[in-house]
């Protein structure tokens, strides 16, 4: 089989798909059998339906097989498919990161495999060929690896095909590693105290729900408490007001203690022995007390960095640093590399990943559009005033309370609106020769830094109001994360786009770390 | 640089017809429903039919044309620009160097009109797939070749 000619997948593939299609027939068959179970011919009806579905599915699979061809070309692999509609997909070899071969139970019985080509496209829209014979699958993988190596000649291959999350990577010989960041017990305890969490109360509330169901105690029913206060709990109302206030305070203190303790336990369990090292293979992070994790991430795969903080911990100068990459870190898209550190500790880590947390000298910070904030303020105010009007009408009609209570909602709208106007002062963006900086937030500012060349696309989006008032949202395609600048003056948005697209155009994707 | 609307290439004129056919297919059930209500005589003559037919006519005749004029693309030397939207306007630039793979799709109606949709996929989370419908089939194929050739050249 030479390259360049369209080929069909293995002929038995349609049989596998037909068998898989038969699985869909089981439910209708059962439904038919049970709905007609009082008739003597029910079993035949069910079998007939099964045969019909099987025939249809076999026919569709056969047609699909007839119409699907793949072509191993000189530069790309192409798949054309579709019975009524036609779809043609072309994947250039340079973009294939990994070729994986999968074998399910039914295909295994026929000696067939599914070959998947992973490209790392954001939409998880990869190319898959099902089904090929085992030999053809292997051959295709080798051919594509060889073609890809040709294509990648001159480009340093960063261990293509190796997953970033080689958790618990085997390391017999310790490699020379430079420790970038680690947390001792003292730091961990401080961090834990800031990780105040009331999650335990959610768990308790859940337990109470069970208690209610099993002990038939209505904990959310005021009458239960009234009767309890009148009966066994009557001593509570006999206490003086001073004692009641004391009780309230001790309750709040308990809440604070329990919340801090929960945060402490969770943090210690997760971040015990936190070490971030720089190894020849990339960043290596180890942490955990009961569940130990060991994650290695090549430096080139870091797409952007995020620096966050909390509104209390910020007063003490504590920040956290995360790396955004295509890999997943225990469910979230970004990797914690320094969850609790001072900016002086964070800057070297960012530098090691090829990023900076401060723009180069001579870069100006720009602000967002004032009109955008004004419009947002007006919209929020109008929205809450509308709610207030509805509530006022409802109160006036039902007579359950004075309609003036609705003024509280309107006042809330006023507060939200002034907050919008105030937030404008904390809304910055800057573009230096290498990075795009976005800083937002008043009490807990968040800094996002993206490398100009590691962005994938740039979109300027405008709704009707934005078009009329002259501002726009700039959406940047970032692998593994989202990055957008809302409410940017239209000229600034265009200026940023021109600059970023020009720097993207200068570097091809395959030259970046993948 | 490329921010003016006049450098944009319009889509194939058949795209308007295609959108009209689709709008018509959507509108027909509503028109039939209004006729049924009309025949049942619950309300004065024309109460249902007149507004429904007017709205349907607007959606079939006017809206596709406006949408067609709002859309456009620009194949630059190293980037593809896609502009769309009447109310919610979006203007996306995808550099060729960031395109992961390329699709050319044809639905049954599109095949009838000789049209195709070009879709480019990027690694980003925003705009993971950028669609450009309403291209003549051969144009879409030619654009695919141009982009692919560019990816190849950049890499070597």
């Amino acid at each position: 089989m030479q390259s360049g000619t369209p080929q069909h997948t293995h002929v038995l593939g349609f049989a596998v798909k037909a068998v898989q299609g038969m699985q869909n027939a089981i439910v209708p068959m059962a439904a038919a059998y049970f709905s007609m179970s009082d008739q003597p011919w029910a079993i035949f009806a069910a079998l007939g339906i099964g045969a019909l579905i099987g025939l249809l599915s076999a026919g569709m699979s056969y047609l699909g097989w007839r119409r699907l061809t793949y072509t191993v070309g000189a530069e790309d692999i192409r798949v054309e498919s579709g019975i009524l509609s036609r779809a043609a997909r072309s994947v250039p070899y340079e973009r294939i990161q990994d070729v994986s071969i999968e074998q399910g139970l039914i295909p295994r019985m026929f000696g067939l495999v599914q070959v998947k080509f992973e490209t790392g496209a954001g939409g998880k829209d990869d190319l898959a060929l099902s089904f090929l014979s085992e030999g053809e699958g292997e051959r295709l993988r080798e051919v594509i690896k060889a073609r890809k190596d040709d294509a990648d000649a001159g480009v340093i291959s960063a261990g293509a095909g190796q997953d970033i999350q080689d958790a618990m990577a085997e390391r017999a010989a310790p490699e020379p590693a430079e420790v970038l960041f680690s947390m001792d017990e003292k730091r961990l305890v401080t961090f834990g105290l800031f990780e105040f969490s009331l999650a335990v109360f959610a768990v308790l509330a859940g337990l109470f729900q069970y208690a209610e169901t099993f002990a038939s105690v209505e904990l959310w029913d005021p009458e239960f408490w009234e009767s309890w206060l009148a009966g066994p709990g009557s001593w509570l109302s006999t206490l003086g007001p001073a004692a009641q206030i004391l009780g309230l305070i001790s309750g709040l203190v308990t809440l604070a203690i329990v919340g801090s303790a929960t945060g402490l336990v969770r943090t210690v369990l997760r971040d015990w022995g936190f070490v971030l090292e720089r190894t020849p293979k990339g960043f290596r992070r180890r942490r955990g007390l009961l569940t130990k994790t060991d994650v290695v991430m090549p430096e080139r795969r870091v797409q952007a960095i995020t620096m966050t903080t909390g509104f209390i911990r910020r007063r003490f100068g504590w920040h956290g640093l995360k790396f955004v990459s295509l890999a997943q870190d225990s469910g979230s898209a970004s990797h914690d590399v320094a969850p609790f550190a001072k900016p002086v500790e964070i800057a070297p880590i960012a530098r090691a990943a090829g990023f900076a947390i401060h723009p180069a000298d001579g870069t100006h910070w720009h602000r967002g559009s004032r009109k955008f904030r004004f419009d947002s303020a007006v919209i929020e105010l109008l929205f809450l005033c509308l709610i207030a009007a509805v509530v006022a009408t409802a109160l006036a009609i039902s007579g359950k309370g004075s309609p003036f209570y609705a003024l509280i909602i309107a006042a809330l709208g006023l507060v939200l609106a002034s907050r919008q106007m105030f937030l404008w002062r904390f809304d910055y963006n800057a573009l230096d020769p290498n990075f795009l900086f976005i800083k937002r937030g008043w009490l807990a500012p968040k800094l996002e830094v993206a490398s100009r060349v590691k962005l994938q696309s740039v979109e300027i989006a405008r709704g009707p109001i934005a078009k009329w008032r002259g501002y726009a949202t700039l959406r940047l395609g970032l692998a593994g994360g989202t990055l957008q600048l809302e409410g940017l003056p239209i000229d600034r948005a265009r200026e940023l786009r021109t600059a970023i697209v020009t720097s993207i155009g200068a570097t091809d994707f395959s030259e970046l770390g993948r | 640089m490329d921010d003016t609307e006049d450098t944009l290439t319009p889509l194939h004129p058949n795209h308007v017809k295609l959108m009209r056919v689709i709008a018509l297919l959507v509108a027909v059930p509503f028109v039939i429903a209004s006729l049924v209500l009309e025949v049942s005589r619950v309300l004065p003559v024309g109460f249902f039919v007149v507004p429904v037919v007017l709205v349907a006519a607007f959606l079939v005749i006017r809206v596709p044309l406006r949408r067609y004029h709002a859309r456009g693309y620009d194949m630059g030397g190293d980037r593809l620009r896609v502009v769309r939207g009447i109310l919610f306007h979006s203007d996306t630039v995808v550099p060729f160097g960031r395109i992961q793979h390329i699709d050319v799709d044809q639905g049954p109606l599109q095949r009838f009109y000789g049209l195709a949709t070009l879709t480019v996929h990027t690694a980003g989370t925003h705009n993971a797939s950028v669609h450009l419908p309403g291209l003549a089939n051969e144009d879409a194929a030619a654009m695919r070749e141009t982009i692919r050739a560019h990816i190849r050249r950049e890499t070597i």
Side-chain angles (χ1 to χ4, degrees), chain A residues 464-478:
Chain A
I465 301 176
K467 229 173 2 182
W468 172 47
R469 302 273 287 162
Y471 53 86
T473 298
L474 191 72
R475 293 209 181 102
L476 299 150
L478 177 69

Side-chain angles (χ1 to χ4, degrees), chain A residues 232-255:
Chain A
S234 54
W235 56 271
L236 204 64
S237 42
T238 59
L239 295 174
Q244 281 179 353
I245 288 171
L246 214 65
L248 188 71
I249 290 171
S250 67
L252 285 176
V253 170
T254 316
L255 199 72

Side-chain angles (χ1 to χ4, degrees), chain A residues 8 21 24 121 123 130 136 151 160 189 192 234 237 253 283 306-308 314 332 354 375 385 389 445 449:
Chain A
H8 283 290
N24 299 337
S130 48
E136 171 69 3
V189 169
S234 54
S237 42
V253 170
F283 294 101
T306 316
M307 200 167 120
T308 52
R314 177 164 167 251
S332 82
D375 294 352
C385 283
V449 185

Side-chain angles (χ1 to χ4, degrees), chain A residues 57 100 202 253:
Chain A
S57 122
S100 65
V253 170

Side-chain angles (χ1 to χ4, degrees), chain A residues 177-419:
Chain A
E178 173 199 350
V179 175
L180 283 174
F181 180 72
S182 68
M183 290 203 292
D184 55 15
E185 289 78 13
K186 192 174 161 237
R187 172 79 62 96
L188 200 59
V189 169
T190 326
F191 180 30
L193 291 177
F194 280 108
E195 288 282 277
F196 183 85
S197 157
L198 292 176
V200 70
F201 288 102
V203 175
L204 283 180
L207 287 178
F208 275 139
Q209 290 253 302
Y210 272 110
E212 272 184 21
T213 347
F214 288 113
S216 59
V217 173
E218 301 277 323
L219 282 173
W220 307 115
D221 188 355
E223 280 177 24
F224 167 75
W225 292 104
E226 274 170 27
S227 62
W228 186 79
L229 279 174
S234 54
W235 56 271
L236 204 64
S237 42
T238 59
L239 295 174
Q244 281 179 353
I245 288 171
L246 214 65
L248 188 71
I249 290 171
S250 67
L252 285 176
V253 170
T254 316
L255 199 72
I257 291 174
V258 171
S260 303
T262 319
L264 193 62
V265 170
R266 286 206 326 184
T267 310
V268 168
L269 284 179
R270 188 186 59 215
D271 286 336
W272 180 264
F274 191 104
V275 184
L276 179 76
E277 291 167 323
R278 188 182 191 177
T279 67
K281 274 187 178 173
F283 294 101
R284 181 182 183 202
R285 188 200 66 194
R286 283 170 295 173
R287 66 173 182 182
L289 186 63
L290 299 177
T291 320
K292 285 187 179 169
T293 60
D294 186 339
V295 178
V296 179
M297 179 176 25
E299 283 149 43
R300 294 146 52 96
R301 295 211 181 176
V302 182
Q303 305 286 330
I305 61 172
T306 316
M307 200 167 120
T308 52
T309 185
F311 76 101
I312 298 175
R313 70 186 72 176
R314 177 164 167 251
R315 308 282 154 220
F316 299 91
W318 297 109
H319 297 265
L321 184 71
K322 282 181 184 174
F323 284 171
V324 179
S325 86
L326 265 178
Q328 294 266 314
D329 184 20
S330 53
S332 82
S334 24
H335 290 249
D336 274 317
V337 285
F340 197 64
K342 301 269 182 187
V344 280
E345 297 169 310
I346 287 177
I349 306 174
R351 216 175 304 128
F355 282 84
I357 54 172
H358 298 293
D361 293 336
T363 312
H364 289 289
W365 284 101
H366 289 253
R367 285 205 172 142
S369 163
R370 214 168 203 171
K371 286 178 183 165
F372 165 68
R373 291 295 174 184
F374 181 78
D375 294 352
S376 307
V378 169
I379 289 168
E380 282 181 11
L381 186 63
L382 283 179
F383 182 65
L384 281 163
C385 283
L386 191 75
I387 296 180
V390 171
V391 169
T393 326
L395 284 177
I397 291 172
S398 67
K400 279 195 177 160
S402 163
F404 290 105
Y405 281 122
L407 280 179
I408 300 173
I409 301 174
L412 186 71
L414 216 58
V415 171
L416 282 179
S418 31
R419 176 180 153 271

